[in-house]
């Protein structure tokens, strides 16, 4: 009964009217807390609304997310979005999860249309997720012991492969590289490296 | 539902409803009409005027003009003064006024008035020396609220009025909306020139307010038309609402349980502050300087809207100090003016009690609140800060 009353309350109506999922996830959020060590942390906050969020991930050797947790001080939509996104990325590889997190539309089907003033809330959650994955990617890149330097850890793309793609395809932009070999399609922590390679290869030519 | 949001609006009292009822069905007629039906309506309006005058201690019921709401009264007082005195464009007000005054003054500043905004300290008090310093011979109007709607902090109306009188020829307007019915008033023995009040804050229906205009203070009409309210505010009188406001004032004047409400408020405040480690009071701890029904508490490092929704689900209505307006959510200007850090302002909750609250309701609220806050604390990303807070208290 109270739930239906809460629906009518001004604030809850801003959590999408026809998504009882959102309301449920706000009142009983899932995946609250801290992933077990070693964990990768991503943070985000909004100067506009003052919300702060922390995502922590536990990732296994095959780059699969085995734990996705969050902590948040923010509005109901933020809490529900975080709960939902953690649910969605659990079990995914970091590459898949990051690629998902980069999509502006990522949670839209579940959250429905949000009022303008809350439209930034899901983005805040995606930002923290992606930044946690970036932390993982940077570490994984550093620790990589293969023969060829690894550039994009999200999708396992080596430096050699990227150079080849640039040379053979006459590529000029990161976007073209991503299209050709998937490098950069995830957390984008490899962007600056790809940029460097682009510059180098194109200078040589 | 447990309603702890009486500063937002109040429930229409059964006595008020009863007084209004005849004027919504069997008794009708235009109070401006000369026939007996009209005259009966007119008598009802005049009776209500006396009731309002009695509550606020006006010298003469003729000093009361009915309006549609508190905001109208405020707008009329300030805007009307400026219309009457177009050359006296210096206004003094405070940073913590209700929107009806704050936004109006911001607008007036945009169109060429000079507005001085008085600051408050971190417990919401004015520095009266600032007022002394900024008052000028050409200051037109000083507009100050009596009780802050968010924190309940009272401004020293008497002292302010005296300073205004002694140092200027300014008109002194008081936004009394939040104070009327909650604390005793005696305007005839004060230096208040204009005083705004609103019905729905004291158990009258929404849609009726009044402006007190001290005899001798000139104000052009707010609505020009058929000459109602002695030509000061035209438009057919909203008789049922006006009767409701009168009855509500009568009810407030004869209310004998102010102390009981205050005791409940004190209990709520004391126990929250002692039971919940991240709770801190907004506004002066000196309760004699606050409304007896209001307590504004910040739950640091958690989100006020979350608290509100959880309380709502549990059957308790409160309000937050921050609101998700249009594109940005901003903490309240009042809390910002008090320099409340934003991690505290974000989690501020206003509990405002009223005549219908019971001890059981307060006990229930006190029972459920720690668990709600605990849950949100667990969810808060500010773990370090929260740990430090708990440590400090041990
Ligand atoms: S490392 Fe994540 S997109 Fe390349």
């Amino acid at each position: 009964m109270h739930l239906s009353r809460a629906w009518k309350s001004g604030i809850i109506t801003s959590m999408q009217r026809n998504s009882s999922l959102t309301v449920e996830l706000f009142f009983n959020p899932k995946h609250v807390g801290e992933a077990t060590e070693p964990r990768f942390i991503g943070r985000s906050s909004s100067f506009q609304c003052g919300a702060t969020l922390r995502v922590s991930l536990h990732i296994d050797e095959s780059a699969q997310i085995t734990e996705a947790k969050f902590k948040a001080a923010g509005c109901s939509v933020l809490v529900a979005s975080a709960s939902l996104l953690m649910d969605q990325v659990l079990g995914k590889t970091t590459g898949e999860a990051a690629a998902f997190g980069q999509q502006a539309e990522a949670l839209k089907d579940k959250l429905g249309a949000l009022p303008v003033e809350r439209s930034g809330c899901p983005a805040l959650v995606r930002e923290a997720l992606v930044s946690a994955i970036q932390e993982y990617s940077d570490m994984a890149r550093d620790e990589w012991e293969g023969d060829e330097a690894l550039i994009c850890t999200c999708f396992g793309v080596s430096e050699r492969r990227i150079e080849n793609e640039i040379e053979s395809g006459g590529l000029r932009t990161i976007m073209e590289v991503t299209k050709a070999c998937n490098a950069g399609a995830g957390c984008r922590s490899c962007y600056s490296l790809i940029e460097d390679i682009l510059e180098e290869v194109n200078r040589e030519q | 539902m447990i309603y702890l949001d009486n500063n937002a609006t109040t429930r229409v009292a059964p006595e008020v409803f009863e007084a209004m009822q005849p004027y919504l069905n069997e008794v009708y007629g235009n109070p401006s009409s000369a026939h007996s039906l009209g005259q009966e309506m007119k008598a009802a309006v005049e009776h209500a005027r006396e009731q309002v005058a009695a509550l606020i201690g006006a010298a003469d019921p003729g000093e009361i003009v009915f309006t549609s709401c508190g905001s109208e009264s405020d707008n009329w007082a300030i805007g009307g003064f400026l219309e009457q005195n177009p050359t006296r464009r210096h206004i003094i007000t405070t940073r913590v006024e209700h929107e009806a005054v704050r936004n109006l003054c911001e607008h007036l500043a945009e169109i060429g008035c000079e507005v001085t905004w008085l600051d408050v300290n971190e417990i919401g008090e004015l520095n009266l020396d600032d007022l002394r310093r900024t008052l000028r011979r050409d200051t037109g109007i000083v507009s100050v609220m009596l009780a802050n709607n968010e924190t309940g902090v009272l401004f020293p109306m008497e002292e302010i009025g005296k300073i205004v009188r002694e140092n200027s020829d300014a008109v002194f307007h008081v936004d009394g909306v939040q104070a009327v019915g909650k604390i005793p008033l005696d305007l005839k023995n004060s230096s208040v020139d204009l005083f705004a009040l609103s019905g729905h804050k004291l158990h009258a229906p929404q849609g009726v307010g009044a402006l007190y205009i001290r005899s001798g203070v000139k104000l052009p009409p707010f609505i020009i038309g058929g000459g109602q309210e002695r030509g000061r505010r035209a438009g057919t009188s909203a008789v049922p609402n006006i009767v409701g406001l009168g009855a509500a004032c009568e009810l407030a004047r004869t209310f004998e349980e102010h102390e009981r409400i205050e005791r409940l408020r004190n209990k709520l405040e004391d126990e929250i502050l002692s039971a919940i480690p991240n709770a801190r009071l907004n506004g002066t701890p000196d309760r004699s300087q606050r409304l007896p029904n209001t307590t504004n508490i910040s739950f640091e490092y958690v989100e006020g809207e979350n608290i509100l929704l959880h309380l709502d689900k549990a059957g308790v209505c409160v309000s937050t100090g921050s609101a998700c307006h249009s594109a940005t959510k901003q903490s309240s200007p009042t809390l910002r003016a008090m320099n409340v850090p934003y991690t505290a302002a974000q989690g501020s909750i206003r509990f405002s009690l009223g005549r219908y609250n019971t001890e059981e309701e307060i006990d229930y609220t006190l029972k459920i609140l720690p668990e709600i806050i605990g849950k949100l604390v667990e969810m808060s990303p500010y773990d370090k800060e929260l740990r430090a807070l708990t440590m400090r208290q041990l």
Side-chain angles (χ1 to χ4, degrees):
Chain A
M1 177 207 83
H2 284 315
L3 203 63
S4 64
R5 215 192 270 269
W7 276 100
K8 292 181 196 114
S9 92
I11 294 174
I12 285 225
T13 44
S14 61
M15 305 201 275
Q16 227 269 355
R17 265 167 225 268
N18 48 21
S19 163
S20 53
L21 175 72
T22 324
V23 178
E24 172 56 29
L25 282 178
F26 166 68
F27 283 119
N28 299 301
K30 294 195 277 178
H31 313 296
V32 172
E34 206 80 68
T36 38
E37 301 262 22
R39 55 180 170 239
F40 299 92
I41 307 277
R43 293 185 174 83
S44 64
S45 53
S46 159
F47 281 115
Q48 267 182 5
C49 71
T52 312
L53 180 84
R54 187 171 73 216
V55 165
S56 68
L57 305 173
H58 186 84
I59 298 164
D60 71 10
E61 316 79 66
S62 55
Q64 201 184 23
I65 298 174
T66 52
E67 265 181 80
K69 295 275 169 81
F70 79 94
K71 284 197 161 200
C75 75
S76 50
V77 175
L78 183 82
V79 173
S81 311
S83 200
L84 201 55
L85 188 61
M86 296 306 102
D87 226 32
Q88 301 278 314
V89 299
L90 198 59
K92 283 195 164 79
T93 63
T94 52
E96 291 164 348
F100 183 72
Q102 294 287 9
Q103 293 167 29
E105 308 283 295
L107 301 173
K108 214 165 192 175
D109 54 327
K110 297 272 189 329
L111 290 171
L114 293 167
V116 217
E117 69 271 18
R118 306 281 175 129
S119 56
C121 311
L124 218 52
V125 188
R126 295 192 286 104
E127 190 189 320
L129 169 78
V130 169
S131 113
I133 296 176
Q134 284 175 345
E135 190 184 290
Y136 165 80
S137 293
D138 287 342
M139 183 227 64
R141 195 178 297 114
D142 282 355
E143 292 187 352
W144 176 251
E145 285 173 340
D147 304 336
E148 295 176 5
L150 184 63
I151 299 297
C152 181
T153 46
C154 280
F155 293 101
V157 190
S158 68
E159 181 167 20
R160 172 84 48 83
R161 169 91 198 276
I162 295 173
E163 285 169 353
N164 288 342
E165 293 290 347
I166 297 173
E167 272 165 11
S168 63
L171 310 181
R172 298 257 152 206
T173 64
I174 297 180
M175 224 106 96
E176 289 168 347
V177 173
T178 303
K179 216 166 157 198
C181 64
N182 237 0
C187 71
R188 299 183 188 166
S189 68
C190 55
Y191 260 34
S192 63
L193 297 173
I194 299 177
E195 191 102 52
D196 292 347
I197 302 171
L198 268 167
E199 224 172 90
E200 215 165 291
V201 175
N202 284 326
R203 192 173 341 114
E204 280 165 15
Q205 285 178 347
Chain B
M1 257 347 221
I2 296 174
Y3 190 71
L4 301 179
D5 201 13
N6 286 276
N7 284 12
T9 195
T10 56
R11 173 188 161 190
V12 172
E15 295 89 337
V16 170
F17 181 69
E18 214 172 285
M20 290 173 68
Q21 217 174 8
Y23 298 91
L24 289 162
N25 48 31
E26 70 257 33
V27 188
Y28 58 93
N30 190 321
S32 302
S33 302
H35 50 63
S36 54
L37 284 184
Q39 288 309 297
E40 196 180 336
M41 298 296 268
K42 185 165 188 229
V45 170
E46 294 317 311
H47 180 56
R49 207 184 302 281
E50 284 162 17
Q51 289 170 313
V52 176
L55 178 66
I56 62 175
D60 174 6
E63 295 174 319
I64 309 295
V65 185
F66 292 112
T67 63
S68 69
C69 60
S71 298
E72 180 189 324
S73 302
D74 283 323
N75 272 256
W76 182 15
I78 299 169
F81 173 84
L82 287 164
E83 187 190 333
Q84 186 93 5
N85 305 279
T87 54
R88 295 174 61 192
R89 296 164 89 82
H90 179 225
I91 306 168
I92 300 178
T93 188
T94 80
R95 293 215 183 269
V96 297
E97 296 299 304
H98 182 269
E99 287 94 325
V101 171
R102 184 164 29 96
N103 290 348
L104 173 66
C105 288
E106 261 165 28
H107 170 73
L108 292 170
E110 274 165 24
I111 60 170
C113 291
E114 189 188 339
V115 180
T116 300
W117 301 92
L118 300 176
D119 288 315
V120 295
N121 64 12
E122 72 284 358
I123 55 172
E125 299 165 331
L126 282 176
N127 179 349
L128 296 184
D129 286 336
D130 289 348
L131 174 64
R132 271 188 208 99
R133 257 196 302 278
T134 49
L135 269 170
R136 310 191 304 231
R137 274 294 142 199
D138 67 330
T139 300
I141 186 162
V142 176
S143 178
V144 168
M145 67 194 338
L146 174 49
N148 186 276
N149 46 311
E150 290 178 50
T151 60
V153 172
L154 298 167
F155 283 154
M157 187 172 80
E158 269 328 297
E159 270 175 85
I160 295 171
K162 249 181 77 196
I163 294 170
V164 172
R165 281 270 176 284
E166 284 165 8
N167 297 280
S168 73
D169 303 318
V171 159
F172 182 31
H173 168 61
V174 172
D175 173 6
V177 167
Q178 210 53 251
V180 173
K182 295 178 186 137
I183 54 171
L185 290 164
D186 186 20
L187 295 187
K188 60 181 169 307
N189 294 314
S190 75
S191 18
V192 174
D193 295 311
L194 302 163
F195 186 96
L197 66 97
S198 167
H200 74 101
K201 307 284 190 194
L202 65 150
H203 304 282
Q206 294 157 352
V208 63
L211 180 65
Y212 161 87
I213 308 173
R214 176 179 290 277
S215 307
V217 175
K218 277 209 180 58
L219 211 58
F222 188 69
I223 299 179
I224 297 173
Q228 290 88 347
E229 299 288 292
R230 292 208 244 144
R232 292 179 294 183
R233 197 235 186 223
T236 303
S237 310
V239 180
N241 279 355
I242 290 172
V243 167
L245 175 58
C249 286
E250 179 86 42
L251 200 65
R253 198 171 55 83
T254 53
F255 185 59
E256 282 173 345
E257 294 186 310
H258 289 290
E259 273 171 31
R260 184 182 65 85
I261 295 178
E262 183 164 7
R263 196 171 46 73
L264 291 182
R265 189 276 312 267
N266 295 351
K267 178 177 183 177
L268 183 70
E269 183 172 297
D270 289 341
E271 293 190 16
I272 290 175
L273 293 176
S274 69
I276 300 179
N278 60 327
R280 56 175 260 178
L281 182 70
N282 293 317
T284 173
D286 178 357
R287 284 170 177 158
S288 70
Q289 299 306 310
R290 259 192 293 144
L291 285 176
N293 79 317
T294 309
T295 183
N296 186 312
I297 295 175
S298 275
F299 300 93
E300 289 186 273
Y301 307 113
V302 300
E303 169 65 39
E305 180 240 37
N306 290 191
I307 305 171
L308 181 146
L309 293 175
H310 278 285
L311 280 173
D312 185 54
K313 193 179 174 209
V316 181
C317 295
V318 297
S319 62
T320 56
S322 54
C324 225
H325 293 304
S326 56
T328 55
K329 191 173 122 265
Q330 297 223 311
S331 54
S332 87
T334 297
L335 297 184
R336 260 184 288 148
M338 289 161 63
N339 256 325
V340 174
Y342 96 98
T343 42
Q346 290 284 102
S348 79
I349 295 287
R350 178 187 68 190
F351 302 87
S352 49
L353 282 61
R355 61 192 290 143
Y356 299 118
N357 290 125
T358 64
E359 178 125 30
E360 289 75 58
E361 292 180 332
I362 298 305
D363 289 341
Y364 173 76
T365 307
L366 284 167
K367 200 182 93 194
I368 59 166
L369 189 61
E371 198 188 312
I372 290 173
I373 303 297
K375 230 170 132 175
L376 296 176
V377 160
E378 232 166 82
M379 191 165 74
S380 172
Y382 294 94
D383 347 22
K384 271 198 220 95
E385 291 84 347
L386 282 159
R387 228 174 294 131
L389 242 170
T390 334
M391 295 292 273
R392 225 181 303 141
Q393 272 165 18
L394 289 179

